[in-house]
Amino acid sequence: MVGLSHRTAPVDVLERVAVDGAAAAKLATELLGSEHVSEAVVVSTCNRVELYVEVDRFHGSVDDVSQILVERADTQRDEVLPHLFVHYDEAAVAHLFQVTSGLDSMVVGETQVLGQVKVALQRAQEQGSVGPSLNALFQQALRVGKRGHAETDVDSAGRSVVAAALDSVQRRRGGLAGCRALVVGAGAMARLSVATLATRGVQDLTVVNRTAERAARLAATVGGAWLEWDRLAAALPDADVVVSCTGATGVVIEERSVAAAAADRLPGRPYVLVDLALPHDIAPAVADLAGVELIGLSTLVEELADTPAAEAVEQVRGIVAAEVAAFLATRTAARVAPTVIALRSMATEVVSTELQRLDGRLPDLDPRVRDELVLTVRRVADKLLHNPTVRIKELAGTTSGADYADALADLFALDSAAVDALSRAAVPMPGPATPPVPGEGAR
């Protein structure tokens, strides 16, 4: 997987790289044009552009896929490359499972991304860019995401963060009624913030976002106002409470702007800023300004550490970890199965050939004697193959299973074309893993 997301790239870069349905299909076609790529699925949302590909080699394919993604961006190569991240094999599986479970979203636990991944898979299926490997991966990822939401209360995690932040604001200001609020951003966390502020009595609310249309749409949901992005600094003095959650990778609210906004305010009514972004939107030095209070994610995480929402997130991480292990074990088993079949087929062919030779040399052999010889030869072949086939099945769920299968294929000089054909026919479709004890998921 090669891509960039709200965790690695600023919003303006994400916007230039993002592709719609038709462009995503064209991008998948370009990926299949690489000599190393056999399958491709493009996941593109407002917060991520990720290319999942099945490749025959790691080095070389990373360069090809990265170059194709960079060329799709309406910007300079050097503006995109530093923000790319790459996951290979197990890490790619774990990342996709985390994405569908909502663990990698700006609002942890949100379900929208599950539908977006489903659409990406359907588009790849219709286009024919997905094959057995990625189809199995994405089908399982969708099941993992559904399982996480069905078995835990992870959906509440994002709402809990916003609620905790505004609870903290109310304690500091003695309430929110009559406050003038400024929300910076228009993504999922911003939408939650606007809705929660409105339900808590804030009527004077303004939204600022890089994309004016999105700011206007969000403000309209609560009858609020909106401003162009370049008016952000000018809007700060008019607000009592600022909630920032843009998803940018750099500071968007500078210390000097907050200092100017906090000047000449009445004592006893602190100027409160809430930073819900990761990485932070607001300069940390703001916390040292007189009359200003800064509430950040680190503080909120500590407050929520022992809540049901935090427990739900840990449960989903445990589910993801178990499902990754189950998927990899099943995939390994599917990889070694063709070698077992080819080995058995080879033995059957050898036995048949030798029996035909026996019939040619001893055409008058007593039928009862011949039957006993046939049974004896087959028993010998079975016994010779018993330990290798038992061992390969034992190792099928481990990382060494595939290596053992390759060694058997070499030792017995198995027909590589036959093994490859059987491998292509094997489509691993693992079911849900046994519910695990909550723990940290693979990253």
Side-chain angles (χ1 to χ4, degrees):
M1 192 286 299
V2 177
L4 65 169
S5 73
H6 61 94
R7 296 184 182 275
T8 66
V11 175
D12 59 331
V13 173
L14 278 173
E15 289 176 343
R16 290 198 290 270
V17 177
V19 291
D20 58 15
K26 183 178 180 181
L27 180 55
T29 299
E30 293 179 18
L31 290 168
L32 292 177
S34 167
E35 62 176 321
H36 304 297
V37 177
S38 58
E39 302 179 35
V41 178
V42 178
V43 176
S44 180
T45 73
C46 58
N47 289 328
R48 71 182 69 250
V49 178
E50 297 177 351
L51 313 182
Y52 293 84
V53 291
E54 177 75 1
V55 298
D56 59 7
R57 55 181 294 184
F58 179 74
H59 298 292
S61 61
V62 171
D63 294 337
D64 288 354
V65 174
S66 299
Q67 180 61 31
I68 290 171
L69 181 57
V70 169
E71 290 175 353
R72 294 296 303 169
D74 184 22
T75 186
Q76 296 296 318
R77 173 187 175 90
D78 292 342
E79 293 182 24
V80 178
L81 279 179
H83 305 297
L84 294 182
F85 62 100
V86 178
H87 290 308
Y88 182 68
D89 201 49
E90 179 179 347
V93 173
H95 178 74
L96 182 58
F97 286 9
Q98 289 177 19
V99 168
T100 57
S101 300
L103 295 180
D104 196 60
S105 300
M106 290 186 68
V107 178
V108 175
E110 57 93 10
T111 58
Q112 184 180 10
V113 71
L114 192 59
Q116 292 166 330
V117 172
K118 182 178 180 180
V119 169
L121 175 59
Q122 290 174 337
R123 181 172 57 238
Q125 290 171 334
E126 293 169 358
Q127 182 184 4
S129 67
V130 65
S133 180
L134 290 186
N135 187 67
L137 172 63
F138 272 75
Q139 294 284 5
Q140 185 66 3
L142 293 173
R143 285 192 285 268
V144 172
K146 292 175 183 177
R147 181 186 167 195
H149 289 289
E151 298 182 15
T152 74
D153 194 27
V154 71
D155 306 56
S156 68
R159 295 193 299 273
S160 297
V161 171
V162 174
L166 296 184
D167 286 345
S168 185
V169 173
Q170 287 182 290
R171 289 194 297 269
R172 286 166 167 77
R173 291 192 55 85
L176 285 172
C179 286
R180 296 166 297 178
L182 175 68
V183 175
V184 185
M189 190 69 85
R191 292 195 295 271
L192 277 175
S193 300
V194 166
T196 307
L197 284 166
T199 59
R200 297 197 181 194
V202 174
Q203 296 179 334
D204 188 348
L205 191 148
T206 302
V207 178
V208 180
N209 188 56
R210 292 181 186 274
T211 305
E213 292 79 6
R214 295 183 66 191
R217 285 197 299 269
L218 179 55
T221 61
V222 293
W226 63 275
L227 295 171
E228 299 278 357
W229 181 252
D230 58 8
R231 297 287 307 281
L232 173 57
L236 292 175
D238 294 328
D240 300 310
V241 177
V242 177
V243 179
S244 189
C245 39
T246 66
T249 56
V251 170
V252 297
I253 300 179
E254 302 283 356
E255 178 187 4
R256 61 179 181 274
S257 299
V258 176
D264 301 324
R265 287 179 179 264
L266 294 175
R269 302 283 285 180
Y271 186 39
V272 184
L273 296 96
V274 180
D275 193 343
L276 299 179
L278 187 67
H280 54 258
D281 277 347
I282 303 173
V286 163
D288 299 326
L289 296 174
V292 176
E293 295 196 26
L294 176 62
I295 302 170
L297 271 180
S298 58
T299 302
L300 296 172
V301 168
E302 291 176 4
E303 292 180 7
L304 294 169
D306 298 322
T307 65
E311 182 181 349
V313 170
E314 288 304 308
Q315 288 175 340
V316 173
R317 285 176 176 162
I319 288 173
V320 167
E323 291 286 1
V324 169
F327 179 87
L328 295 175
T330 305
R331 187 185 64 174
T332 302
R335 286 179 176 175
V336 303
T339 301
V340 174
I341 296 172
L343 185 59
R344 289 287 182 181
S345 298
M346 180 270 292
T348 300
E349 185 177 346
V350 170
V351 169
S352 297
T353 300
E354 291 305 316
L355 290 175
Q356 288 176 4
R357 183 177 300 172
L358 178 66
D359 290 338
R361 291 182 175 181
L362 301 173
D364 299 325
L365 187 65
D366 184 279
R368 288 178 299 175
V369 175
R370 185 188 186 283
D371 290 343
E372 189 61 34
L373 286 172
V374 169
L375 289 175
T376 299
V377 172
R378 286 177 176 167
R379 279 198 299 267
V380 169
D382 286 340
K383 287 183 178 180
L384 288 174
L385 294 180
H386 176 73
N387 285 337
T389 53
V390 168
R391 186 58 178 155
I392 197 173
K393 289 177 181 178
E394 290 175 347
L395 294 172
T398 69
T399 54
S400 59
D403 292 337
Y404 187 77
D406 291 340
L408 275 182
D410 287 339
L411 287 172
F412 285 92
L414 299 180
D415 184 354
S416 58
V419 174
D420 290 343
L422 289 166
S423 299
R424 287 192 295 272
V427 182
M429 294 296 287
T434 302
V437 175
E440 183 65 30
R443 180 69 184 175

